[in-house]
Amino acid sequence: MSVELWVIQQGLSRSQQLQLRELWERTGKLEALHFVPPPRLPGWWANRHYPLIAWARIQIDLILPRNVSRCIYVDIDVLVGADLAELAATELSGCVLGMVLNTGLAQKDLEYVGSLGLTEDSYYNTGVVLMDLDRWRRERAREGLIARRDSLPVDLWFVDQDLINVYFAGCIASLDKRWNLRDAAAVPEGNVLHFAGRPKPWEVEDFSSALPGLRRWKEALDRSGIDRTEVSTWRRAMDGAAGLRIHGERLVRRYLSNV
Ligand SMILES: [Mn+2]
């Protein structure tokens, strides 16, 4: 089976893109590779923890061509140790999306999820999403999601994840937890490991005392031959400026929603 891959990215240099292309070409299974920027959205949808690019998954029909009828969305903070072809063939039982339940929420998070009208048994993690794109387009999901955002609080703790869960509530196919295993102490074999919490693998300084999953991420990185390049000062400055603008937009939005 061959794979067509779209990388939703901002600020990857030419040389980084080339390194990634060479890495995937070495598998002999790459059909095509595309580097695409995220479509635009209002700045105030971002927050301190989740940049605007996290929302790109709700605009998937603007990113992928019309002839793509099914796709798997995968976050950046994962280590895939299972055959995604098996996930791609999983039955969605008439649902637009399939996801893994976001179990193990802390008490304060459970209360927050409750404020959205959801429970631990109806709140899914959006780090890995199996999507029926034909149905998504037919039901005009992007337009519906964007319209629904306006009726939710300005501050969403888990941004796109909250909106997706509220919007698709009651019609999400529940996937086996191995497709989005949020446990850095687990091993990747047979799983999609999702480093949803902290630290992120790229924030770990000393892997010798890190959890097994994180150590395996480092081994995979070393095998890939990809440089772990520092973010340039220019890029940091640009991100800082964008962060300030977004913070300003959020303040205005909060003010407007209170008057
Ligand atoms: Mn993630």
Side-chain angles (χ1 to χ4, degrees):
M1 177 163 297
S2 61
V3 175
E4 187 161 7
L5 197 58
W6 283 262
V7 179
I8 308 165
Q9 60 84 34
Q10 248 167 349
L12 274 184
S13 69
R14 279 303 291 169
S15 76
Q16 287 167 324
Q17 292 184 18
L18 264 174
Q19 282 190 52
L20 288 169
R21 182 176 292 280
E22 282 165 11
L23 170 68
W24 287 316
E25 274 171 353
R26 281 205 297 274
T27 65
K29 293 184 176 172
L30 185 68
E31 168 109 11
L33 171 63
H34 316 266
F35 291 96
V36 290
R40 283 192 71 87
L41 279 174
W44 62 270
W45 288 25
N47 70 23
R48 209 153 49 82
H49 304 290
Y50 298 94
L52 211 47
I53 197 170
W55 285 94
R57 73 201 88 185
I58 74 156
Q59 296 172 297
I60 196 75
D61 59 306
L62 296 178
I63 294 167
L64 303 184
R66 287 203 73 84
N67 63 349
V68 178
S69 57
R70 206 170 234 238
C71 80
I72 298 171
Y73 170 88
V74 183
D75 261 1
I76 188 97
D77 50 351
V78 299
L79 181 58
V80 176
D83 187 356
L84 292 182
E86 199 187 318
L87 174 58
T90 301
E91 178 58 52
L92 276 175
S93 321
C95 298
V96 176
L97 305 181
M99 294 185 284
V100 175
L101 277 172
N102 201 124
T103 48
L105 286 167
Q107 190 54 38
K108 66 173 176 28
D109 294 337
L110 271 178
E111 284 165 20
Y112 166 74
V113 163
S115 76
L116 298 172
L118 301 166
T119 68
E120 196 171 24
D121 301 318
S122 62
Y123 187 71
Y124 293 83
N125 186 281
T126 54
V128 178
V129 191
L130 175 62
M131 302 173 141
D132 180 338
L133 286 179
D134 287 335
R135 193 174 280 268
W136 174 286
R137 293 186 197 95
R138 240 184 358 260
E139 297 185 7
R140 302 176 68 82
R142 169 172 46 87
E143 292 87 336
L145 283 156
I146 288 174
R148 188 76 175 83
R149 176 65 185 90
D150 266 337
S151 59
L152 291 173
V154 173
D155 295 289
L156 294 176
W157 290 15
F158 306 107
V159 293
D160 67 283
Q161 180 164 290
D162 297 339
L163 175 65
I164 288 172
N165 273 288
V166 167
Y167 183 78
F168 288 105
C171 44
I172 295 170
S174 200
L175 301 176
D176 188 281
K177 70 170 196 253
R178 75 191 183 92
W179 295 117
N180 182 350
L181 191 61
R182 287 163 292 101
D183 179 5
V187 293
E189 280 75 24
N191 300 314
V192 177
L193 280 191
H194 181 193
F195 304 103
R198 286 291 168 96
K200 296 298 182 192
W202 52 86
E203 294 168 333
V204 175
E205 298 278 346
D206 176 12
F207 281 92
S208 64
S209 56
L211 290 168
L214 290 163
R215 285 211 302 273
R216 297 293 299 277
W217 182 90
K218 177 68 164 70
E219 286 168 24
L221 179 70
D222 291 345
R223 271 200 311 277
S224 76
I226 298 277
D227 302 334
R228 218 175 145 180
T229 47
E230 284 299 313
V231 178
S232 70
T233 311
W234 168 250
R235 186 75 221 168
R236 273 184 209 283
M238 293 298 285
D239 288 351
L244 280 177
R245 199 191 66 233
I246 280 169
H247 185 63
E249 277 189 46
R250 293 170 59 73
L251 287 177
V252 170
R253 188 71 195 189
R254 258 184 239 148
Y255 172 76
L256 290 177
S257 68
N258 286 327
V259 290

